[in-house]
Amino acid sequence: MNQIKYQLPETRHTPSRFRNTIGKYIVKRNSNCISCGKCSEICPFGVHIKPDHHKSPFRPVEHNCIGFDCKNTDHYCIEHCPEDALTLKENPLLYTMGDYRWPPEMLLGHFAMAETGKAPHVDLEYNLGNSGGGFDMMRFIEPDPGVELTISDEEIDTSIDLNKTGDGRPLKTISIPCYGGGMSYGSTALSVIVGRARAAKRLNSLTCTGEGGYPPQFLPYKEHVITQVATGLFGVREETIQHCPIMEFKYAQGAKPGLGGHLLGEKVTKAVAKMRETVVGSSLFSPFPFHSVYSVEDHKKHVDWMKEINHSVLCSIKVSTPTDVDMVAIGAYYAGAHIIHIDGSYGGTGAAPDIAKKNIAMPIEYAIPKVHRFLVEEGVRDKVCLIASGGIRNALDVAKAIALGADGCVIGTADLVAVECVRCGNCESGRGCARGIATTDPELGCMIDEEYVEQRLVNMYMAWRKQWCDILRTHGLKSIKELRGRSDLLVHLDYLDEEERRKYQPAPRYKMVL
């Protein structure tokens, strides 16, 4: 399906589930307030809500406040309050939230995009982290004068093709250059994974089951759900392979290569145990590796097995990024894979151990160009779809990954941040998720519903699409496919002199308290 003809889903304002949202600034109203309504009349951002005459003033909607930048306008509520009842300060939570890869402003930026479907109007750095490496050190170059196109977003093609092999199987096209990574039934609340499937249908994209089985709630969205087959084979049945347009063999995960998977017993509820055909309360381990696969020939038997079960299925091969990942990729292609999914370090949720995801797999920004170049040299680059994941956090990361040589990306953590994950790192615990996202506990799971997840994700990806269109238009490109392999459009700060580097470097943000 051509992206230009595809009807883009409608964004809709979808506010936070929580009464008191987290903003960059704190606006306080003291007892001097007489509920005159002056602040609500002059504020164009909806920070202040005028109450009925017999009610106390509402608490300010702080995450809408643009802060001290407002001093330069004619609607600065602090100075216009006739009773001096308002004060403004920076939110001290910004010094404690998040981490180097997901700093607080990036979290708040994703919250805002998921709420409105637009870029935040508050000054937030949501494209770069504080890691000091990887995508945080890359920038798109300043375009040549006269290159920019004067075309609308609707005229720009952000679709990617998933089957390029010409093998007679269905031609699968998704309308945005990314899809949802595997989140298993048992690791994440059912309402979250079903909400992701609903969003994938509206976005004409995909989501993945992970290795926890195929709950029946996925069936209405089955054309947009990838079935994952991992080493534990939890919930893998012939009928679930027949449901899916794409099946994914997960040989390794970039966040924990060589370690397999682990679901703690407190997450194995009665429903999870039934789906995974195991015992309630028993910790579950996915071994490493597939003990039936020790060669490309063994791997080909796996692919042939799936293709025989479902004669129209496409096969994706998910691998981590060892130093010979380029050889792994070409082997997967010759074994019959349609999609080669390389998963670098820094991927995974808070359930993945830091010692693994920070020290084992190759960072994805090194793996992408290595695999891309090798596939080009082998003459098969246009016959296979290369998908990257592992620390892809935002729209600019996706664009940078494509410019390095990927066709598209798989997104995991950003989906959870869109539904207000605060990156507390307690994903492995049964009742550790304060936001009711990474949990199987029925009480916590009631905190979130499918419709909310669906719309927040649609909003976020439509905001991302606007960024992709801006990048493409600025560099004279009409399609995201034209961006693939355009590493000449990227610059790495480590290779610039101090003066050039300063031109690309944003102002310093918050020091992390870890």
Side-chain angles (χ1 to χ4, degrees):
M1 181 185 297
N2 191 305
Q3 170 67 33
I4 299 174
K5 297 178 182 178
Y6 174 66
Q7 183 64 45
L8 296 174
E10 180 185 356
T11 59
R12 188 171 66 248
H13 188 257
T14 309
S16 170
R17 300 176 279 144
F18 301 99
R19 178 182 299 174
N20 299 324
T21 55
I22 303 170
K24 184 175 179 179
Y25 302 98
I26 291 178
V27 183
K28 290 291 186 183
R29 181 181 286 114
N30 62 35
S31 58
N32 291 343
C33 179
I34 59 173
S35 302
C36 67
K38 177 71 173 178
C39 55
S40 62
E41 291 173 7
I42 64 172
C43 180
F45 304 112
V47 176
H48 304 283
I49 302 173
K50 186 175 182 179
D52 295 334
H53 62 87
H54 62 283
K55 292 183 178 180
S56 299
F58 292 110
R59 174 175 174 153
V61 185
E62 293 170 332
H63 71 283
N64 285 341
C65 180
I66 66 171
F68 299 103
D69 288 346
C70 200
K71 280 185 176 181
N72 302 320
T73 71
D74 58 0
H75 48 72
Y76 186 45
C77 61
I78 309 300
E79 293 180 351
H80 283 81
C81 178
E83 304 298 325
D84 292 327
L86 297 172
T87 56
L88 173 68
K89 68 176 183 178
E90 200 173 78
N91 191 343
L93 273 178
L94 296 181
Y95 294 90
T96 60
M97 283 176 61
D99 51 52
Y100 286 106
R101 291 192 55 77
W102 279 92
E105 291 198 12
M106 189 181 290
L107 294 174
L108 297 185
H110 280 64
F111 293 169
M113 289 186 285
E115 179 174 333
T116 65
K118 303 174 182 176
H121 66 264
V122 180
D123 177 28
L124 297 169
E125 178 50 85
Y126 52 92
N127 292 320
L128 296 170
N130 295 323
S131 70
F135 291 125
D136 290 336
M137 295 297 284
M138 295 181 195
R139 305 288 188 275
F140 278 95
I141 64 171
E142 295 290 330
D144 294 331
V147 167
E148 183 171 356
L149 301 177
T150 56
I151 57 176
S152 67
D153 287 359
E154 290 72 22
E155 296 174 274
I156 293 178
D157 181 9
T158 55
S159 68
I160 61 172
D161 302 319
L162 302 182
N163 181 8
K164 304 178 182 183
T165 61
D167 64 352
R169 288 183 175 248
L171 299 177
K172 183 72 175 176
T173 299
I174 56 176
S175 297
I176 55 176
C178 52
Y179 58 83
M183 292 186 193
S184 63
Y185 183 62
S187 69
T188 313
L190 180 62
S191 56
V192 173
I193 60 176
V194 175
R196 294 178 82 215
R198 293 171 58 144
K201 181 176 181 179
R202 286 183 58 196
L203 290 161
N204 187 34
S205 184
L206 297 159
T207 188
C208 180
T209 64
E211 59 177 321
Y214 198 104
Q217 289 86 347
F218 277 159
L219 286 173
Y221 319 104
K222 63 182 182 180
E223 291 304 314
H224 301 273
V225 177
I226 298 170
T227 293
Q228 187 179 91
V229 179
T231 57
L233 297 177
F234 294 120
V236 176
R237 300 180 178 87
E238 186 170 317
E239 63 267 24
T240 63
I241 302 301
Q242 291 172 340
H243 290 325
C244 66
I246 299 173
M247 60 75 49
E248 177 177 85
F249 275 115
K250 186 178 85 169
Y251 287 102
Q253 184 175 338
K256 43 190 176 183
L259 300 181
H262 182 198
L263 186 70
L264 293 180
E266 59 183 313
K267 277 193 163 184
V268 185
T269 61
K270 184 176 180 181
V272 172
K274 181 179 179 182
M275 179 66 64
R276 296 193 179 212
E277 298 179 325
T278 186
V279 179
V280 175
S282 176
S283 293
L284 303 178
F285 297 87
S286 300
F288 181 84
F290 274 108
H291 292 299
S292 56
V293 179
Y294 290 97
S295 67
V296 173
E297 291 76 18
D298 290 341
H299 163 53
K300 187 176 188 308
K301 292 176 184 177
H302 265 188
V303 175
D304 291 344
W305 166 41
M306 290 301 159
K307 288 182 176 180
E308 188 60 33
I309 293 174
N310 184 338
H311 291 173
S312 63
V313 76
L314 304 183
C315 290
S316 172
I317 308 303
K318 180 178 180 180
V319 295
S320 62
T321 52
T323 54
D324 63 345
V325 63
D326 47 354
M327 297 299 294
V328 173
I330 196 68
Y333 165 74
Y334 282 117
H338 302 89
I339 301 167
I340 298 170
H341 174 181
I342 56 174
D343 191 35
S345 59
Y346 292 105
T349 63
D354 281 350
I355 191 65
K357 64 185 179 183
K358 292 182 179 179
N359 294 286
I360 300 179
M362 184 191 303
I364 195 64
E365 68 272 12
Y366 291 109
I368 295 169
K370 182 179 178 71
V371 174
H372 172 70
R373 283 195 300 265
F374 193 69
L375 294 174
V376 170
E377 290 166 3
E378 290 292 303
V380 301
R381 184 61 190 90
D382 291 326
K383 298 179 181 179
V384 68
C385 181
L386 178 62
I387 297 293
S389 65
I392 311 287
R393 302 157 298 178
N394 50 55
L396 247 66
D397 283 358
V398 172
K400 291 170 186 176
I402 294 172
L404 288 173
D407 287 289
C409 295
V410 160
I411 304 299
T413 301
D415 283 3
L416 303 187
V417 172
V419 293
E420 298 179 282
C421 162
V422 292
R423 297 278 294 163
C424 68
N426 292 322
C427 303
E428 81 284 354
S429 173
R431 288 187 60 85
C433 181
R435 296 293 175 115
I437 299 168
T439 183
T440 56
D441 182 87
E443 183 179 355
L444 289 176
C446 291
M447 295 170 61
I448 192 165
D449 61 64
E450 298 170 10
E451 293 82 0
Y452 166 85
V453 175
E454 173 191 355
Q455 190 60 53
R456 293 275 293 196
L457 290 178
V458 166
N459 287 350
M460 183 186 77
Y461 283 113
M462 287 297 97
W464 284 19
R465 189 179 187 278
K466 292 178 188 295
Q467 286 187 269
W468 295 324
C469 290
D470 286 342
I471 292 168
L472 294 173
R473 188 166 39 233
T474 298
H475 291 280
L477 307 176
K478 296 181 179 180
S479 169
I480 201 82
K481 299 180 188 73
E482 297 176 44
L483 182 63
R484 192 192 76 187
R486 291 294 306 274
S487 56
D488 59 301
L489 297 180
L490 294 175
V491 63
H492 196 289
L493 298 189
D494 282 349
Y495 299 99
L496 300 179
D497 61 36
E498 187 174 343
E499 185 176 343
E500 289 179 309
R501 183 170 177 157
R502 197 179 300 117
K503 181 175 67 173
Y504 288 103
Q505 193 74 293
R509 295 283 173 167
Y510 303 95
K511 293 182 179 179
M512 309 305 301
V513 180
L514 300 177

